[in-house]
Amino acid sequence: QVQLVESGGGLVQPGGSLTISCVASGFTFSAKAMRWYRQAPGKEERDWVASIGSSAGGTTNYAEAVKGRFTISRDDAKNTVFLQMTSLKPEDTAVYYCNAFLPQGGSWLDYWGQGTQVTVSS
């Protein structure tokens, strides 16, 4: 079955950097776009952060709040998607989730990992 496992979160000072990872299994990773979302403390919804197309396209897109500071990339040999975060701000504090939108039984479903906590604080 589909599994997404995030790792690499932690505590970092403002202005610092951190790279988080998501290992995927259960589907043809190289053929699918991947996304990162985040859920800030006290918010009910998850906000889209970044996306990367399949290896055939590889197009990247970013939310305005992170553009120029975050970089999404993928390593299809390792079924892994990364989010490199630089110039971190306290408002980047959130649980970060990996997401895949996949066909399932005639429809499309969102799949999520368990999340990894990123805390930006001095």
Side-chain angles (χ1 to χ4, degrees):
Q1 74 272 24
V2 174
Q3 282 195 317
L4 302 171
V5 180
E6 301 96 335
S7 63
L11 174 64
V12 62
Q13 292 189 340
S17 299
L18 194 67
T19 298
I20 57 178
S21 305
C22 170
V23 178
S25 61
F27 63 101
T28 305
F29 179 78
S30 63
K32 300 303 181 186
M34 297 296 296
R35 300 167 183 83
W36 284 99
Y37 284 75
R38 66 186 181 185
Q39 186 168 8
K43 289 192 69 175
E44 290 189 2
E45 68 278 7
R46 296 175 184 180
D47 295 322
W48 169 74
V49 174
S51 60
I52 185 167
S54 66
S55 292
T59 303
T60 58
N61 290 283
Y62 300 93
E64 283 299 320
V66 307
K67 197 173 291 185
R69 299 187 298 120
F70 288 13
T71 302
I72 187 171
S73 62
R74 63 191 299 156
D75 183 342
D76 290 341
K78 297 182 179 179
N79 280 12
T80 302
V81 59
F82 303 95
L83 187 67
Q84 181 183 8
M85 303 179 287
T86 64
S87 301
L88 282 160
K89 306 174 182 179
E91 51 263 43
D92 294 318
T93 295
V95 178
Y96 284 71
Y97 294 93
C98 180
N99 168 269
F101 189 55
L102 303 172
Q104 179 68 37
S107 61
W108 288 75
L109 297 178
D110 278 306
Y111 290 88
W112 302 93
Q114 83 288 352
T116 188
Q117 175 71 49
V118 173
T119 301
V120 184
S121 176
S122 55

